[in-house]
Structures are given as C-alpha cells and as structure tokens.
Amino acid sequence: MSSLSDWLRKLGFRFPDKSPKDDAVQAEMLVRARSFKEEYRKWITQGHHQELLKNIYTTFTLNKLGIRSELPIHYLGAQGKHTVVVHYLDVYGKDVFPYLQDYFRDRIVRLGYQLYLSERLDLPKGRLERHILRPQVPAFNINDLPEQLYGNLEVSVFYAEQRPVYLEIHAEHLSEKRFNKAFAFDELAELLFV
C-alpha cells in the first residue's frame, strides 16, 4: 500500500526534501520544578484563578450560543469528541496557562480519574506539554459496565518560542460496548470552570 505522498509524486507533484531530523519529535516526562509548584500553590491559595475561570465559563457558554466574546475561546464538539481551546493573551501572563493546566488536572483527578501520562513533546514548530487522564476502572466489575465519566481527557498547552499559544481541553468518549454512556461535556465544563 503506497502513501498519499507516493501517489502524488507519481502524478508529478514535487515535495521539498526533508531530513528525518526535521520531523523528529522528542518526548520526555513532564516534571514540574519545586519553585513552579510553590508559585502554583500561591496562585491557587490567593484565588487568582477564580476571575479567569469565571470569564472562561461565560465565554464558553456564549460561544456555544454563537455569540462572540472578547476572550478568544473556541469549542468544537461532534461524535463523542469535544475540544475547548483557550487562546493566549498577554494580559494572562506566561505562567497562567501551565497553572491552569495543572489546576484542571487536579480537578479532573478528584472527579474519579487517574493521571495516565504527563509529558513534554518537542515538536519541529514548538513544544506541547500535556496531561492525559483516564477514568478509574474498578478491578472487579461483575454485572454493570464501568463508568467512563467524560471519556479520556487531555489537558495540553502548546508553546511557540517559549511563549504559550493556546490551552486545550480535549475529551474523547470510550466505546459504549465496554463502558456506560459518557456524561455530557457541558457538565465537565461547568465542573472545571465554575
């Protein structure tokens, strides 16, 4: 089976030569420094997150109604996949997106999820830091299907040149043959943003 690019080459299309190094993705565990954790705790304790979360929730709700807002947020939802993208503004400050990312991770864990993976991916055009969370499934389940809650969740921040570009929350439902039906994404948004 040939790839699309092979097929296009046969038709005469030319592609620039790329070395394998250009497409290399480097992955490593995402481990926060002690100083980051201390600043994050202060940020939470002092309540700096509350106003921003209120604005995100209001904008998310308006966006779903088709009303534009000053806060650049996009929502995409279809066929068991839901994504909220919050674009970076300088008024947030560079540390706010990683703080929000960890805040959402902590909230999701309290909902019955386990942290599956935290990693940093160095990409050709930037860096992606992400937390992947999966619903906790009981070891023994005799009769009922296990709850998938809101499906598998990913909370990520994309950086270009050391600057955050956007924060994304992505939910993907699991097979309903192996799990109960997923809960509504709007409910998750309310739990995270309110």
Side-chain angles (χ1 to χ4, degrees), residues 55-85:
N55 291 339
I56 289 173
Y57 184 67
T58 302
T59 303
F60 169 76
T61 304
L62 292 173
N63 188 296
K64 288 190 68 178
L65 296 171
I67 301 170
R68 300 197 92 163
S69 178
E70 290 180 20
L71 198 62
I73 290 180
H74 293 93
Y75 168 73
L76 306 164
Q79 298 178 343
K81 295 180 182 178
H82 303 272
T83 304
V84 174
V85 178

Side-chain angles (χ1 to χ4, degrees), residues 119-121 123 126-130 154 156-159:
E119 68 179 346
R120 175 181 290 121
L121 300 171
L123 308 167
R127 184 177 87 238
L128 182 73
E129 294 181 354
R130 66 183 184 168
E154 181 178 323
S156 55
V157 177
F158 180 77
Y159 297 84

